Amino acid sequence: QLQLVESGGGLVQAGGSLRLSCAASGSTFDYYDIGWFRQVPGKEPQGVSCISSSYGDTNYVDAVKGRFTISRDNAKNTVYLQMNSLKPEDTGIYYCAGVIYPVCTAAGGTKIDEYADWGRGTQVTVSS
């Protein structure tokens, strides 16, 4: 099992930037695909982005494409989500999740059921 801890959340003004980190431990991080998800009150988490374990394939949902960038540093067992040009609708609890089965490609990999190991989340609030 992969243990994941998110950090970097906070309050930011619309148009600003924030970088989230997902620190992993407990298993072979290099072999895991990692996804970022956002949850708002009363709804299930929605996919935001993912990055593969193999060749760094990435995927973004349309709502964040061009504004968010996912990356990973395997030497640090960490995945990052750089969020630029933030909007109030980006507000929510951000979770990272991992799966050893390869699911993240340029065509997909941001479905919650595709991931097995989840962090506890970090709150992101974007003020207008």
Side-chain angles (χ1 to χ4, degrees):
Q1 185 179 351
L2 191 69
Q3 288 83 49
L4 301 170
V5 179
E6 303 92 338
S7 63
L11 176 64
V12 65
Q13 296 174 242
S17 298
L18 207 60
R19 189 179 76 160
L20 305 184
S21 297
C22 174
S25 63
S27 192
T28 307
F29 173 77
D30 298 27
Y31 298 156
Y32 281 76
D33 284 16
I34 302 293
W36 282 100
F37 300 83
R38 178 174 61 225
Q39 185 175 38
V40 297
K43 300 190 68 176
E44 65 183 4
Q46 301 290 318
V48 175
S49 182
C50 68
I51 187 165
S52 72
S53 63
S54 53
Y55 305 108
D57 294 338
T58 60
N59 184 273
Y60 303 89
V61 297
D62 290 343
V64 307
K65 191 168 186 174
R67 299 189 296 119
F68 291 10
T69 302
I70 191 170
S71 62
R72 69 190 297 159
D73 186 339
N74 288 343
K76 297 181 179 179
N77 286 178
T78 302
V79 168
Y80 304 96
L81 184 67
Q82 178 67 46
M83 304 184 293
N84 298 326
S85 301
L86 282 163
K87 305 174 180 180
E89 51 261 48
D90 295 321
T91 294
I93 302 174
Y94 282 73
Y95 299 90
C96 63
V99 59
I100 197 165
Y101 179 79
V103 302
C104 186
T105 69
T110 55
K111 305 295 184 182
I112 59 173
D113 289 345
E114 294 174 316
Y115 292 83
D117 304 319
W118 290 74
R120 304 297 185 186
T122 185
Q123 175 69 227
V124 171
T125 303
V126 183
S127 61
S128 60

